């Protein structure tokens, strides 16, 4: 048997038909039962179904060409098509085929995006025999499963980390590096304005551990320049954990001497005071001098309070909730520097702060590794799809020849 | 004649607005014309009745009709209400509709002018309404639109005398509806003259105005605060005749709206002034500013003000905000305090900024606090006000003549304290606006009354704490009441090793107990492990959680207990509803229901006090129009009102039906069998229609493209075939017919018969084809006949629906009517209770699903699944010879 016979290029219209879904307004849905599919996934549930599962839904209006899989019986609404395979065509293989095809580029309509099914039918694809189709589908399912399971591990891991940070910030680590236990050893704890904290800890206003603090300076907008000599850090340059993306910072052309006093130093602690309210970050240096933006407050801390520890605290569920209460104003919330200075936080010894940070960092590294692996799997999936669905790599050769 | 219901009148007015919208007008422009037209019609209708009464009386006294008309009918002195001169009477306006000589707009303008000329109290009120107004060469309202308006307001069934209304303040309520509608569509401008009624009701509930007091709004807009203060007294069964209502507003258009609002609500005595309140307060008594018992306002947010020519500057004894920088808010607050009688109360809406801003505002705030003037700070949800998304608060204050703390005019237990209520998280999110529902209003108002700590919601704070260095006169509600949800817990050991932490389950013990749900049905204890639980065998997978909770015996029996308690409570208190027509004490009955319901159901520990009160408050507000009808027209009146509303909806007014007539509670109770018959007819129609369509779509040729396919109609195609066939063989068929007639005659000879047979034989293929087509079309014809029959069955059922309903309800005796109405009321309360319980069950399900998702699978298991799949993936890549 030649490759040509086994693996022909045919138009999609020979493999499938796209049928219109049926309108089912939100108010008519019963809320429980079979999934109702819109143009881009499940939009609700209803006690009745329109199409036997499993099946494929393709976005027709709105999310043009989005491809969704339903393992059970379902109801596609009128903004979508559902797939009726012709002949022996394998449904799951069709799913992968459509998923890997860029249907979005077929968007024909002006205004509301729309997909014409005749355009879809006209697409030419490689179509192996049905048994090879199902074989390809199961292989691709495998990598999908690997991605889902990796994601599950990562999600779980993030929860573990959140729980651990909470426990560490509540109980601290004793000299042996172990979590203190308030149930077994209540004598190791004391009352404070922040509730129960370990005996060795202090409850201090941030002020007490601050050498200096300042709002970011303002300067005229026209100073921004791609060839500037100073980088400007904005609230948008930090994510919700306070990780900085320094390369995104805009540059400005400014007289260095005039602004020198405002330049960030390595180890400075920054906190957003408006926009995103109360997110803490630590500056670790950059190739340009960096100015904090007007919506940031910069703290230079004494050696008794590690900036990374303060960041861990203010970004944790526990700390963030208390910082949020300082915010004033309506739509545009604002935290005042003076309110932050008098804000009380738990302060362990620097050794303990250090030990806490090390524990949390170890988890962070593990998480990063998992996320890199996940990214890799996604790339592998794209590669495999391209190879298997275009016949570049054959799956059934050994079996059939 | 059926009485006009609020819903019907509202739709009528909406229809009038449609006429002007078609002219391309926006709400800000067309509102005045609608107001004007409504007012003209109302005055004319009332006047005609008064005139008839006078004339009849005079004729009875022996005066000739002509004489009576000339001397008494046209004499303003004989009328208690507005005198409407000839040119402003509706009949006159109608007679001018066909007069081509005068522009109709000027007829209307003349009418308005004549009306205000004849009545002193209308001076300037109607001035700004001009139907002849021209804007860049074009009339704003075309003559056709003017005429359409008059025709619209002339429609049958919309006469506007008091006896035509389902309850007496219907016109006022309809006017409120219009103002609300305009405010909503006017965007930012809307907020200038309109405060959402739910906020006002809340403020009035707190201020509790009483008969005989004076109520004043220094920035009264359309007058809602005053109207609702009066309504509150009325619904408390109080006498409003000696209530003094005063308002001042700085916008001429708002002033006119306010004046009309008062007139249409039947409050001609309200004292509404037009001027800038900060510069020229106009309510004075012998040179002094008048003092009031209740001062209530929603001043314009964050505006500048000016000091030049300011009268009575001594009002601002607590300090002067900068005139620029948009800081006028506390100036209004000071004015309000200054004109409040000792022992009186002030309630004002303020932007949040006044609670914490520094500078002069802080100094004023400090004096307010040091003199113990502030009783409560209520933080409201954001986006409640038209055109202002910023969150606002309500300040409740009491003046203090001693000038120092404690304030002797505060209730004793409240002296030296401020109650903070953080209500910003509880609201109903609308599309463009958020709203306070009756349950939210009830919770805030009752928290104010209780004046005690409520976790995450309200806190009584001493002045020392507020003025101390930690808070430094900062009144930001969040400082004192933190209502943010607690962060989600994550038990590290459970994530790593599995199991559900006992602590997390125990934290929800109260929730479980409130529903009667037994924790052991979801979790099993481990041996020798008091820290972690396992999921019970009754929970094999996640989807089993909801049925487990809903079908739980304990949950079911608790629901039953709640129903029983409700029935008992209803038995006890529903006679008060039955007494309403006699006692008219709406608010007292409302409070009795609230407290009775809470007392009866609180011991079951299923729902908290506020939720329970919220159920009654919501039900009460929704049923209030019915209660008003009940007070005025009795139980039979309530049923008639429902029937009218149902009849309107069946008629399908131009604006579309407001309710689904067939789902109305009265219909469902009394017309069950009839509804079933309608339902059967409806399904028949639907079935036959789809059969018809299926036939039409069948037998499509295979070569059609998508568009042709959509247009394909088999029935039409057959018809076309038949036509073509007959046309092609027209002559031959005609000839055949002739021959056959000849052959059928008695005198016909063999030749005739042969000729006919021959012709028939020659046409055989054609005749066969015709027969074939006729056979094909036969089922289609049958479907069509059946469809027509089903449709006419449906139509006659719906046509007689209202008559049938009227007949059935009419056959009830008074006792039965009372019984029926009370049962339907009770049904609504039960529905509210059920919804609240369902919501609670939902919470339990959500919690169980949450711990399931968190802890059912542990990290080690997840990792091993992953290792498995990675192994398989490796094998695959190997097979594919990648590696």
């Amino acid at each position: 048997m030649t490759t040509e016979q086994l693996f022909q290029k045919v138009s999609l219209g020979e493999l499938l038909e796209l049928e219109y879904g049926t309108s089912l307004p939100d108010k008519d849905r019963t809320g429980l039962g079979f999934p109702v599919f819109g143009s881009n996934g499940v939009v609700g549930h209803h006690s009745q179904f329109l199409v036997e599962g499993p099946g494929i839904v393709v976005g027709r209006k709105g999310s043009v060409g989005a491809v969704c899989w339903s393992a059970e019986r379902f109801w596609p609404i009128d903004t979508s098509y559902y797939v009726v395979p012709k002949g022996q065509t394998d449904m799951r293989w069709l799913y992968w085929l459509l998923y890997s095809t860029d249907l979005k580029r077929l968007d024909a309509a002006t205004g509301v995006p729309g997909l014409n099914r005749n355009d879809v039918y006209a697409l030419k694809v490689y179509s192996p025999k049905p048994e090879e189709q199902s074989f390809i589908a199961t292989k691709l399912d495998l990598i999908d499963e690997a991605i889902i399971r990796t994601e599950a591990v990562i999600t779980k891991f993030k929860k573990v980390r959140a729980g651990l940070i909470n426990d560490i910030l509540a109980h601290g680590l004793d000299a042996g590096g172990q979590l203190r236990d308030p149930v077994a050893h209540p004598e190791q704890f004391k009352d404070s304005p922040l509730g129960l904290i370990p005996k060795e800890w202090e409850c201090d206003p941030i002020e007490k551990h601050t050498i200096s603090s300042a709002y970011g300076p303002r300067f005229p907008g026209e100073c921004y320049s791609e060839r500037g000599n100073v980088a400007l850090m904005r609230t948008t340059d930090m994510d919700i954990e306070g990780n900085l993306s320094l390369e995104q910072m805009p540059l400005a052309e400014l007289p260095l001497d005039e602004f020198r006093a405002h330049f960030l130093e390595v180890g400075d602690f920054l906190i957003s005071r408006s926009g995103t309210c109360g997110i803490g970050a630590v500056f670790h240096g950059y190739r340009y001098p960096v100015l904090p933006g007007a919506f940031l407050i910069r703290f230079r801390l004494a050696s008794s309070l590690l900036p990374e520890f303060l960041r861990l605290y203010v970004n944790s569920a526990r700390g963030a909730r208390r910082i949020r209460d300082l915010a004033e104003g309506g739509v545009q919330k604002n935290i005042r520097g003076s309110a932050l200075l008098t804000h009380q936080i738990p302060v362990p010894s620097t050794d303990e702060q250090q030990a806490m940070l090390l524990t949390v960092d170890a988890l962070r590294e593990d998480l990063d590794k998992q996320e890199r692996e996940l990214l890799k799997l996604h790339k592998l999936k794209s590669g495999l799809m391209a190879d298997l669905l275009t016949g570049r790599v054959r799956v059934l050769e050994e079996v059939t020849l | 004649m059926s009485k006009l219901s609020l819903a019907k009148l509202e739709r009528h007015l909406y229809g009038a607005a449609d006429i002007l919208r078609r002219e391309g007008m926006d709400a800000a422009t067309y509102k005045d014309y609608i107001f004007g037209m409504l007012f003209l019609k109302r005055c004319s209708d009332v006047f005609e009745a008064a005139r008839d009464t006078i004339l009849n009386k005079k004729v009875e006294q022996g005066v000739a009709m002509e004489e009576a008309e000339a001397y008494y009918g046209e004499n303003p002195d004989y009328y208690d209400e507005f005198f409407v001169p000839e040119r402003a009477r509706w009949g006159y306006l109608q007679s001018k509709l066909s007069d081509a000589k005068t522009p109709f707009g000027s007829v209307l303008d003349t009418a308005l002018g004549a009306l205000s000329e004849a009545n002193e109290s209308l001076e300037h009120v109607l001035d700004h309404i001009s139907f002849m107004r021209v804007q860049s060469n074009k009339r704003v309202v075309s003559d056709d639109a003017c005429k359409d308006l008059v025709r619209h307001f002339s429609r049958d069934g919309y006469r506007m005398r008091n006896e035509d209304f389902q309850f007496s303040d219907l016109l006022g309520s309809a006017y409120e509806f219009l103002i609300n509608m305009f405010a909503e569509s006017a965007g930012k401008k809307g907020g200038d003259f309109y405060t959402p009624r739910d906020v006002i009701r809340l403020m009035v509930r707190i201020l509790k105005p009483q008969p005989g007091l004076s109520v004043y709004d220094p920035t009264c807009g359309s007058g809602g605060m005053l109207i609702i203060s009066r309504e509150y007294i009325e619904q408390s069964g109080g006498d409003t005749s000696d209530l003094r209502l005063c308002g001042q507003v700085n916008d001429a258009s708002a002033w006119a709206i306010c004046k009309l609002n008062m007139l249409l609500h039947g409050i001609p005595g309200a004292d509404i002034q037009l001027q800038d309140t900060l510069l020229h307060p106009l309510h004075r008594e012998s040179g002094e500013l008048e003092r009031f018992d209740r001062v209530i306002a929603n001043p314009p947010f964050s505006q500048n003000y000016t000091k030049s020519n300011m009268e009575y500057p001594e009002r601002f004894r607590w300090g002067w905000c900068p005139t620029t920088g948009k800081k006028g808010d506390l100036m209004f607050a000071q004015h309000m305090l200054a004109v409040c009688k000792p022992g009186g109360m002030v309630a004002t809406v303020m932007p949040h900024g006044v609670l914490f801003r520094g500078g002069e505002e802080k100094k004023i705030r400090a004096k307010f606090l040091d003199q113990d003037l502030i009783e409560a700070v209520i933080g409201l949800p954001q986006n409640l006000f038209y055109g202002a998304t910023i969150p606002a608060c309500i300040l409740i204050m009491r003046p203090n003549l001693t000038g120092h703390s404690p304030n002797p005019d505060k209730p004793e237990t409240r002296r030296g304290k401020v109650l903070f209520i953080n209500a910003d998280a509880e609201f109903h999110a609308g599309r463009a606006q958020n709203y306070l529902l009756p349950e939210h209003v009830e919770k805030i108002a009752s928290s104010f009354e209780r004046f005690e700590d409520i976790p995450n919601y309200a806190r009584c704070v001493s002045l020392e704490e507020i003025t101390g260095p930690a808070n430094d006169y900062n009144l930001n509600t969040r400082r004192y009441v933190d209502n943010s949800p607690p962060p989600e817990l994550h038990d590290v050991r459970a994530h790593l090793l599995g199991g559900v932490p006992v602590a997390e389950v125990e934290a929800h013990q109260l929730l479980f107990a409130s529903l009667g749900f037994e924790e052991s049905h979801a979790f099993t204890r481990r041996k020798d492990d008091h820290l972690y639980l396992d999921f019970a065998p009754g929970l094999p997978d996640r989807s089993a959680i909801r049925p487990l909770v809903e079908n739980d015996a304990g949950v079911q029996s608790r629901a039953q207990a709640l129903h029983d308690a409700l029935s008992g409570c209803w038995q006890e208190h529903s006679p008060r509803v039955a007494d309403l027509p006699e006692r008219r004490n709406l608010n007292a009955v409302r409070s009795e229901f609230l407290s009775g319901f809470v007392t009866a159901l609180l011991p079951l520990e299923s729902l908290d006090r506020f939720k329970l009160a919220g159920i009654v408050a919501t039900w009460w507000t929704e049923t209030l129009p019915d209660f008003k009808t009940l007070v005025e027209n009795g139980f039979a009146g309530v049923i008639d009102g429902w029937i009218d509303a149902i009849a309107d909806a069946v008629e399908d007014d131009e604006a579309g039906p407001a309710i689904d007539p067939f789902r109305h509670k009265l219909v469902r109770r009394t017309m069950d069998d009839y509804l079933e018959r309608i339902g059967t007819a409806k399904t028949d129609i639907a079935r036959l229609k789809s059969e018809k369509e299926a036939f039409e779509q069948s037998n499509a040729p295979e070569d059609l493209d998508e568009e042709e396919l959509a247009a394909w109609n088999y029935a039409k195609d057959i018809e076309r075939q038949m036509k073509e066939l007959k046309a092609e063989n027209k002559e031959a068929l005609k000839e055949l017919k002739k021959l056959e007639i000849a052959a059928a005659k008695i005198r016909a000879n063999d030749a005739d018969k042969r000729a006919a047979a021959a012709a028939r034989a020659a046409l055989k293929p054609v005749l066969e084809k015709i027969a074939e087509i006729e056979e094909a079309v036969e089922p289609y014809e049958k479907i069509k006949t059946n469809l027509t029959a089903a449709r006419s069955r449906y139509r006659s059922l719906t046509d007689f629906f209202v008559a049938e309903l009227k007949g059935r309800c009419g056959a009830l005796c008074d006792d039965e009517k009372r019984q029926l109405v009370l049962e339907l009321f009770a049904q609504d309360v039960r529905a509210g209770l059920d919804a609240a319980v369902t919501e609670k069950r939902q919470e339990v399900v959500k919690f169980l699903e949450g711990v399931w998702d968190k802890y059912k699978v542990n990290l080690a298991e997840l990792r091993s699944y992953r290792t498995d799949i990675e192994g398989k993936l490796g094998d695959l890549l190997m097979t594919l010879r990648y590696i």
Side-chain angles (χ1 to χ4, degrees), chain B residues 58-72:
Chain B
K58 289 297 158 192
V59 171
E60 245 171 58
Q61 289 168 355
V63 183
M65 190 60 174
E66 272 172 35
E67 213 171 304
E69 277 184 358
Y71 293 113
Y72 303 102

Side-chain angles (χ1 to χ4, degrees), chain B residues 66-237:
Chain B
E66 272 172 35
E67 213 171 304
E69 277 184 358
Y71 293 113
Y72 303 102
E74 299 302 323
N75 186 344
D77 296 341
Y78 281 86
Y79 293 89
D80 294 331
E81 305 224 4
F82 295 120
F83 176 76
V84 182
E86 168 82 31
R87 282 168 304 157
R89 286 177 209 164
W90 203 256
Y92 175 82
L93 297 181
Q94 280 176 306
S95 75
K96 285 286 178 187
L97 277 173
S98 47
D99 178 356
K101 277 179 285 179
T102 11
F104 196 69
S106 73
V107 173
L108 293 175
D109 285 344
T110 312
L112 288 171
L115 184 62
S116 48
E117 223 166 85
N119 299 282
E120 207 185 328
S121 62
L122 288 180
E123 203 184 349
H124 301 311
V125 174
L126 303 169
D127 287 2
H128 63 296
I129 309 172
S130 162
F131 285 91
M132 290 300 284
R133 207 170 105 209
V134 172
Q135 223 168 26
S136 42
N137 285 338
K138 181 179 167 281
R139 289 257 310 268
V140 175
V141 201
S142 70
D143 240 34
D144 282 342
C146 291
K147 288 179 179 172
D148 280 348
L149 273 180
V150 170
R151 288 192 195 104
H152 183 81
F153 277 93
S154 303
R155 285 177 50 189
D156 276 347
Y158 293 98
R159 203 179 61 181
M160 295 187 194
R161 293 179 191 163
N162 285 349
E163 75 252 34
D164 298 325
F165 301 146
Q166 239 172 42
F167 55 88
S168 50
D169 193 27
L170 185 105
L171 200 60
S173 306
Y175 189 76
E176 286 273 305
F177 160 82
L178 279 180
I179 301 178
N180 183 9
M181 182 172 103
F182 299 141
E184 216 166 346
S185 52
K188 196 166 164 40
K189 268 195 205 156
D192 291 353
F193 62 92
Y194 190 83
T195 306
R197 271 31 185 173
D198 39 14
V199 177
I200 302 185
R201 292 218 159 76
L202 167 65
M203 294 167 76
V204 170
R205 274 281 309 277
I206 288 174
L207 290 186
K208 287 198 171 87
Q210 307 293 322
L213 297 187
S214 55
V215 181
Y216 167 64
D217 179 349
T219 55
C220 67
S222 56
M225 303 248 175
L226 303 175
I227 302 267
I228 288 177
S229 297
R230 181 170 176 277
E231 176 195 276
Y232 176 86
I233 294 175
E234 221 163 46
Q235 291 182 3
S236 305

Side-chain angles (χ1 to χ4, degrees), chain B residues 641-662:
Chain B
W642 287 341
I643 294 176
D644 287 345
I646 293 162
D648 283 348
V650 171
E651 273 169 30
D652 197 357
D653 220 9
E654 72 243 76
I659 53 165
D660 180 351
F662 302 109

